[in-house]
Amino acid sequence: MLPNNIQSLATLARKAVVGNFRRNIGISAVVAQKSMDPIQKLFIDKVKEYAQKSKSAGGKLVDASPEILKAQKEEIERIENQFGGGRSGIDLTKFPTFNFQDPTIDPIDMEKK
């Protein structure tokens, strides 16, 4: 009778330890997620800062100096001249529109054989 009591006590203790262990792992995972690595936090802060600057710039380059803007304009003009835009009035910043026309096909007369 004594070995059965010890065995049931050991089983109960094991269930309690396993249950507490699982619960503690679940709680510590949430706590570990909330406390971020300092470098990861810095990265996220910089991404958020850049997103805010990008919205305020209105689609232009963020923190661009006049030299950078001048170089960008020169590159765009060079590419437009190279690929047929610019003087010909084609806007290379727009996606091209395609107009496909179906060819006319002669109907096949199945009755004539």
Side-chain angles (χ1 to χ4, degrees):
M1 180 137 181
L2 190 59
N4 285 340
N5 287 339
I6 293 173
Q7 186 177 9
S8 64
L9 185 61
T11 304
L12 286 174
R14 185 179 48 205
K15 286 181 182 179
V17 168
V18 169
N20 283 334
F21 182 72
R22 284 185 185 158
R23 183 176 45 209
N24 288 339
I25 289 292
I27 291 171
S28 64
V30 171
V31 171
Q33 259 185 338
K34 290 195 179 199
S35 65
M36 230 184 268
D37 179 24
I39 295 179
Q40 185 180 16
K41 184 176 180 340
L42 180 67
F43 177 76
I44 290 174
D45 290 343
K46 288 293 181 180
V47 168
K48 288 178 182 177
E49 179 184 336
Y50 182 81
Q52 188 177 28
K53 285 182 180 181
S54 178
K55 283 182 184 177
S56 67
K60 301 200 181 217
L61 293 177
V62 175
D63 294 338
S65 66
E67 296 87 26
I68 293 175
L69 292 174
K70 182 180 175 190
Q72 180 192 23
K73 183 180 176 187
E74 290 172 356
E75 280 295 313
I76 289 174
E77 288 174 356
R78 183 185 68 79
I79 290 171
E80 283 179 343
N81 289 333
Q82 183 176 358
F83 293 106
R87 295 184 194 130
S88 63
I90 299 171
D91 185 15
L92 295 178
T93 60
K94 282 180 42 182
F95 191 79
T97 56
F98 299 104
N99 295 323
F100 295 110
Q101 295 180 1
D102 292 333
T104 56
I105 300 174
D106 294 334
I108 300 174
D109 194 4
M110 296 300 284
E111 296 174 7
K112 294 181 184 177
K113 285 189 178 184

mmCIF file of all heavy atoms in Angstrom, residues 1 10 14 16-17 24 30 35 43 46-47 51-52 55 58 68 71 73 77-78 81 98 100 103 105-106 109 111-112:
data_model
loop_
_atom_site.group_PDB
_atom_site.id
_atom_site.type_symbol
_atom_site.label_atom_id
_atom_site.label_comp_id
_atom_site.label_asym_id
_atom_site.label_seq_id
_atom_site.Cartn_x
_atom_site.Cartn_y
_atom_site.Cartn_z
ATOM 1 N N MET A 1 0.826 -1.195 0.000
ATOM 2 C CA MET A 1 0.000 0.000 0.000
ATOM 3 C C MET A 1 0.865 1.252 0.000
ATOM 4 O O MET A 1 0.534 2.221 -0.651
ATOM 5 C CB MET A 1 -0.898 -0.030 1.217
ATOM 6 C CG MET A 1 -1.775 1.158 1.305
ATOM 7 S SD MET A 1 -3.358 0.559 1.783
ATOM 8 C CE MET A 1 -4.246 2.020 1.822
ATOM 9 N N ALA A 10 3.922 10.836 -6.440
ATOM 10 C CA ALA A 10 4.906 11.230 -7.449
ATOM 11 C C ALA A 10 4.211 11.654 -8.748
ATOM 12 O O ALA A 10 4.623 12.618 -9.409
ATOM 13 C CB ALA A 10 5.865 10.075 -7.712
ATOM 14 N N ARG A 14 4.486 15.318 -10.371
ATOM 15 C CA ARG A 14 4.957 15.491 -11.744
ATOM 16 C C ARG A 14 3.955 16.305 -12.560
ATOM 17 O O ARG A 14 4.330 17.213 -13.312
ATOM 18 C CB ARG A 14 5.182 14.130 -12.391
ATOM 19 C CG ARG A 14 5.793 14.251 -13.782
ATOM 20 C CD ARG A 14 6.046 12.932 -14.424
ATOM 21 N NE ARG A 14 4.838 12.112 -14.274
ATOM 22 C CZ ARG A 14 4.795 10.800 -14.281
ATOM 23 N NH1 ARG A 14 5.873 10.107 -14.441
ATOM 24 N NH2 ARG A 14 3.669 10.147 -14.151
ATOM 25 N N ALA A 16 1.851 18.536 -11.447
ATOM 26 C CA ALA A 16 1.903 19.913 -10.973
ATOM 27 C C ALA A 16 3.134 20.633 -11.519
ATOM 28 O O ALA A 16 3.061 21.786 -11.961
ATOM 29 C CB ALA A 16 1.905 19.945 -9.447
ATOM 30 N N VAL A 17 4.273 19.938 -11.510
ATOM 31 C CA VAL A 17 5.505 20.555 -12.014
ATOM 32 C C VAL A 17 5.400 20.816 -13.514
ATOM 33 O O VAL A 17 5.761 21.893 -13.993
ATOM 34 C CB VAL A 17 6.726 19.664 -11.675
ATOM 35 C CG1 VAL A 17 7.956 20.125 -12.423
ATOM 36 C CG2 VAL A 17 6.977 19.666 -10.178
ATOM 37 N N ASN A 24 4.720 28.728 -16.969
ATOM 38 C CA ASN A 24 5.824 29.682 -16.852
ATOM 39 C C ASN A 24 6.484 29.928 -18.202
ATOM 40 O O ASN A 24 6.908 31.041 -18.494
ATOM 41 C CB ASN A 24 6.851 29.186 -15.833
ATOM 42 C CG ASN A 24 6.326 29.302 -14.415
ATOM 43 O OD1 ASN A 24 5.411 30.074 -14.147
ATOM 44 N ND2 ASN A 24 6.888 28.520 -13.521
ATOM 45 N N VAL A 30 5.896 35.699 -23.485
ATOM 46 C CA VAL A 30 5.262 37.003 -23.675
ATOM 47 C C VAL A 30 6.158 38.102 -23.123
ATOM 48 O O VAL A 30 6.362 39.139 -23.756
ATOM 49 C CB VAL A 30 3.874 37.034 -22.997
ATOM 50 C CG1 VAL A 30 3.292 38.429 -23.000
ATOM 51 C CG2 VAL A 30 2.941 36.050 -23.674
ATOM 52 N N SER A 35 10.202 42.699 -23.996
ATOM 53 C CA SER A 35 11.513 43.311 -23.793
ATOM 54 C C SER A 35 12.344 43.039 -25.033
ATOM 55 O O SER A 35 12.699 41.920 -25.339
ATOM 56 C CB SER A 35 12.179 42.730 -22.549
ATOM 57 O OG SER A 35 12.448 41.374 -22.733
ATOM 58 N N PHE A 43 16.442 49.840 -34.559
ATOM 59 C CA PHE A 43 16.063 49.632 -35.957
ATOM 60 C C PHE A 43 14.598 49.990 -36.182
ATOM 61 O O PHE A 43 14.262 50.697 -37.136
ATOM 62 C CB PHE A 43 16.331 48.183 -36.365
ATOM 63 C CG PHE A 43 15.894 47.865 -37.761
ATOM 64 C CD1 PHE A 43 16.629 48.291 -38.847
ATOM 65 C CD2 PHE A 43 14.734 47.133 -37.981
ATOM 66 C CE1 PHE A 43 16.213 47.998 -40.142
ATOM 67 C CE2 PHE A 43 14.314 46.844 -39.261
ATOM 68 C CZ PHE A 43 15.056 47.279 -40.355
ATOM 69 N N LYS A 46 14.093 53.730 -36.090
ATOM 70 C CA LYS A 46 14.569 54.382 -37.311
ATOM 71 C C LYS A 46 13.610 54.155 -38.479
ATOM 72 O O LYS A 46 13.378 55.055 -39.294
ATOM 73 C CB LYS A 46 15.971 53.880 -37.686
ATOM 74 C CG LYS A 46 17.049 54.377 -36.775
ATOM 75 C CD LYS A 46 17.201 55.866 -36.933
ATOM 76 C CE LYS A 46 18.302 56.379 -36.030
ATOM 77 N NZ LYS A 46 18.482 57.818 -36.166
ATOM 78 N N VAL A 47 13.035 52.962 -38.578
ATOM 79 C CA VAL A 47 12.069 52.686 -39.639
ATOM 80 C C VAL A 47 10.834 53.563 -39.470
ATOM 81 O O VAL A 47 10.322 54.140 -40.435
ATOM 82 C CB VAL A 47 11.693 51.186 -39.669
ATOM 83 C CG1 VAL A 47 10.489 50.932 -40.555
ATOM 84 C CG2 VAL A 47 12.873 50.358 -40.126
ATOM 85 N N ALA A 51 9.547 56.492 -42.006
ATOM 86 C CA ALA A 51 8.186 56.488 -42.546
ATOM 87 C C ALA A 51 7.528 57.843 -42.332
ATOM 88 O O ALA A 51 6.844 58.362 -43.226
ATOM 89 C CB ALA A 51 7.361 55.386 -41.899
ATOM 90 N N GLN A 52 7.757 58.435 -41.176
ATOM 91 C CA GLN A 52 7.181 59.745 -40.891
ATOM 92 C C GLN A 52 7.806 60.810 -41.798
ATOM 93 O O GLN A 52 7.103 61.657 -42.352
ATOM 94 C CB GLN A 52 7.411 60.086 -39.422
ATOM 95 C CG GLN A 52 6.703 61.329 -38.954
ATOM 96 C CD GLN A 52 6.920 61.573 -37.477
ATOM 97 O OE1 GLN A 52 7.928 61.176 -36.918
ATOM 98 N NE2 GLN A 52 5.965 62.226 -36.848
ATOM 99 N N LYS A 55 6.413 60.482 -45.379
ATOM 100 C CA LYS A 55 5.076 61.053 -45.537
ATOM 101 C C LYS A 55 5.149 62.571 -45.639
ATOM 102 O O LYS A 55 4.453 63.179 -46.437
ATOM 103 C CB LYS A 55 4.178 60.660 -44.360
ATOM 104 C CG LYS A 55 3.672 59.248 -44.427
ATOM 105 C CD LYS A 55 2.761 58.957 -43.253
ATOM 106 C CE LYS A 55 2.323 57.506 -43.252
ATOM 107 N NZ LYS A 55 1.506 57.199 -42.074
ATOM 108 N N GLY A 58 6.326 64.027 -49.075
ATOM 109 C CA GLY A 58 5.352 64.016 -50.156
ATOM 110 C C GLY A 58 5.796 63.261 -51.396
ATOM 111 O O GLY A 58 5.573 63.702 -52.508
ATOM 112 N N ILE A 68 22.049 66.382 -54.370
ATOM 113 C CA ILE A 68 21.447 65.082 -54.670
ATOM 114 C C ILE A 68 20.249 65.256 -55.598
ATOM 115 O O ILE A 68 20.068 64.493 -56.551
ATOM 116 C CB ILE A 68 21.045 64.349 -53.371
ATOM 117 C CG1 ILE A 68 22.297 63.967 -52.588
ATOM 118 C CG2 ILE A 68 20.194 63.129 -53.665
ATOM 119 C CD1 ILE A 68 22.024 63.355 -51.240
ATOM 120 N N ALA A 71 21.579 65.940 -59.061
ATOM 121 C CA ALA A 71 22.096 64.714 -59.674
ATOM 122 C C ALA A 71 20.954 63.803 -60.117
ATOM 123 O O ALA A 71 21.019 63.190 -61.191
ATOM 124 C CB ALA A 71 23.004 63.983 -58.693
ATOM 125 N N LYS A 73 17.927 64.777 -61.032
ATOM 126 C CA LYS A 73 17.313 65.386 -62.211
ATOM 127 C C LYS A 73 18.161 65.126 -63.453
ATOM 128 O O LYS A 73 17.629 64.799 -64.524
ATOM 129 C CB LYS A 73 17.154 66.889 -61.979
ATOM 130 C CG LYS A 73 16.472 67.596 -63.104
ATOM 131 C CD LYS A 73 16.330 69.072 -62.820
ATOM 132 C CE LYS A 73 15.725 69.771 -64.019
ATOM 133 N NZ LYS A 73 15.722 71.220 -63.869
ATOM 134 N N GLU A 77 17.001 63.011 -66.807
ATOM 135 C CA GLU A 77 17.091 63.592 -68.153
ATOM 136 C C GLU A 77 17.947 62.719 -69.074
ATOM 137 O O GLU A 77 17.611 62.512 -70.240
ATOM 138 C CB GLU A 77 17.666 65.003 -68.081
ATOM 139 C CG GLU A 77 16.702 66.016 -67.507
ATOM 140 C CD GLU A 77 17.338 67.389 -67.303
ATOM 141 O OE1 GLU A 77 18.560 67.529 -67.552
ATOM 142 O OE2 GLU A 77 16.607 68.302 -66.890
ATOM 143 N N ARG A 78 19.057 62.190 -68.559
ATOM 144 C CA ARG A 78 19.925 61.328 -69.362
ATOM 145 C C ARG A 78 19.185 60.070 -69.787
ATOM 146 O O ARG A 78 19.237 59.647 -70.946
ATOM 147 C CB ARG A 78 21.176 60.959 -68.554
ATOM 148 C CG ARG A 78 22.177 60.113 -69.348
ATOM 149 C CD ARG A 78 23.331 59.677 -68.481
ATOM 150 N NE ARG A 78 22.936 58.733 -67.450
ATOM 151 C CZ ARG A 78 22.717 57.433 -67.636
ATOM 152 N NH1 ARG A 78 22.839 56.914 -68.840
ATOM 153 N NH2 ARG A 78 22.377 56.653 -66.637
ATOM 154 N N ASN A 81 16.517 60.848 -72.457
ATOM 155 C CA ASN A 81 17.110 61.020 -73.784
ATOM 156 C C ASN A 81 17.579 59.693 -74.361
ATOM 157 O O ASN A 81 17.469 59.458 -75.558
ATOM 158 C CB ASN A 81 18.277 62.012 -73.723
ATOM 159 C CG ASN A 81 17.795 63.427 -73.500
ATOM 160 O OD1 ASN A 81 16.676 63.765 -73.865
ATOM 161 N ND2 ASN A 81 18.624 64.240 -72.881
ATOM 162 N N PHE A 98 -1.160 49.779 -73.356
ATOM 163 C CA PHE A 98 -1.089 48.884 -74.498
ATOM 164 C C PHE A 98 -2.467 48.781 -75.133
ATOM 165 O O PHE A 98 -3.464 48.634 -74.437
ATOM 166 C CB PHE A 98 -0.622 47.492 -74.061
ATOM 167 C CG PHE A 98 0.741 47.487 -73.438
ATOM 168 C CD1 PHE A 98 0.891 47.369 -72.077
ATOM 169 C CD2 PHE A 98 1.874 47.607 -74.221
ATOM 170 C CE1 PHE A 98 2.142 47.359 -71.494
ATOM 171 C CE2 PHE A 98 3.139 47.604 -73.657
ATOM 172 C CZ PHE A 98 3.274 47.479 -72.289
ATOM 173 N N PHE A 100 -4.103 46.414 -77.787
ATOM 174 C CA PHE A 100 -4.032 45.234 -78.643
ATOM 175 C C PHE A 100 -5.355 45.086 -79.376
ATOM 176 O O PHE A 100 -6.423 45.202 -78.775
ATOM 177 C CB PHE A 100 -3.767 43.977 -77.810
ATOM 178 C CG PHE A 100 -2.437 43.984 -77.130
ATOM 179 C CD1 PHE A 100 -2.355 44.118 -75.756
ATOM 180 C CD2 PHE A 100 -1.266 43.848 -77.857
ATOM 181 C CE1 PHE A 100 -1.130 44.117 -75.122
ATOM 182 C CE2 PHE A 100 -0.038 43.848 -77.237
ATOM 183 C CZ PHE A 100 0.032 43.978 -75.859
ATOM 184 N N PRO A 103 -6.939 40.213 -84.375
ATOM 185 C CA PRO A 103 -6.918 40.112 -85.840
ATOM 186 C C PRO A 103 -8.244 39.537 -86.338
ATOM 187 O O PRO A 103 -8.919 38.776 -85.648
ATOM 188 C CB PRO A 103 -5.762 39.143 -86.104
ATOM 189 C CG PRO A 103 -5.641 38.349 -84.863
ATOM 190 C CD PRO A 103 -6.058 39.253 -83.743
ATOM 191 N N ILE A 105 -10.383 37.081 -88.305
ATOM 192 C CA ILE A 105 -10.188 35.672 -88.683
ATOM 193 C C ILE A 105 -11.338 35.286 -89.591
ATOM 194 O O ILE A 105 -12.507 35.582 -89.312
ATOM 195 C CB ILE A 105 -10.148 34.771 -87.449
ATOM 196 C CG1 ILE A 105 -8.994 35.185 -86.542
ATOM 197 C CG2 ILE A 105 -10.037 33.320 -87.827
ATOM 198 C CD1 ILE A 105 -8.939 34.456 -85.235
ATOM 199 N N ASP A 106 -11.019 34.616 -90.676
ATOM 200 C CA ASP A 106 -12.053 34.132 -91.581
ATOM 201 C C ASP A 106 -12.816 33.011 -90.904
ATOM 202 O O ASP A 106 -12.234 32.101 -90.319
ATOM 203 C CB ASP A 106 -11.429 33.610 -92.873
ATOM 204 C CG ASP A 106 -10.780 34.710 -93.678
ATOM 205 O OD1 ASP A 106 -11.203 35.867 -93.528
ATOM 206 O OD2 ASP A 106 -9.861 34.414 -94.445
ATOM 207 N N ASP A 109 -16.305 27.485 -92.535
ATOM 208 C CA ASP A 109 -17.637 26.976 -92.855
ATOM 209 C C ASP A 109 -17.559 25.438 -92.743
ATOM 210 O O ASP A 109 -16.972 24.773 -93.578
ATOM 211 C CB ASP A 109 -18.020 27.390 -94.266
ATOM 212 C CG ASP A 109 -19.496 27.177 -94.522
ATOM 213 O OD1 ASP A 109 -20.201 26.789 -93.557
ATOM 214 O OD2 ASP A 109 -19.926 27.356 -95.652
ATOM 215 N N GLU A 111 -20.084 23.388 -92.939
ATOM 216 C CA GLU A 111 -21.052 22.682 -93.759
ATOM 217 C C GLU A 111 -20.488 22.293 -95.122
ATOM 218 O O GLU A 111 -20.911 21.313 -95.707
ATOM 219 C CB GLU A 111 -22.319 23.524 -93.914
ATOM 220 C CG GLU A 111 -23.023 23.732 -92.606
ATOM 221 C CD GLU A 111 -24.203 24.689 -92.741
ATOM 222 O OE1 GLU A 111 -24.538 25.079 -93.874
ATOM 223 O OE2 GLU A 111 -24.773 25.038 -91.709
ATOM 224 N N LYS A 112 -19.563 23.059 -95.630
ATOM 225 C CA LYS A 112 -18.988 22.733 -96.929
ATOM 226 C C LYS A 112 -17.833 21.766 -96.738
ATOM 227 O O LYS A 112 -16.871 22.061 -96.059
ATOM 228 C CB LYS A 112 -18.476 23.986 -97.608
ATOM 229 C CG LYS A 112 -19.562 24.952 -97.967
ATOM 230 C CD LYS A 112 -18.959 26.149 -98.648
ATOM 231 C CE LYS A 112 -19.988 27.192 -98.945
ATOM 232 N NZ LYS A 112 -19.400 28.387 -99.548
#
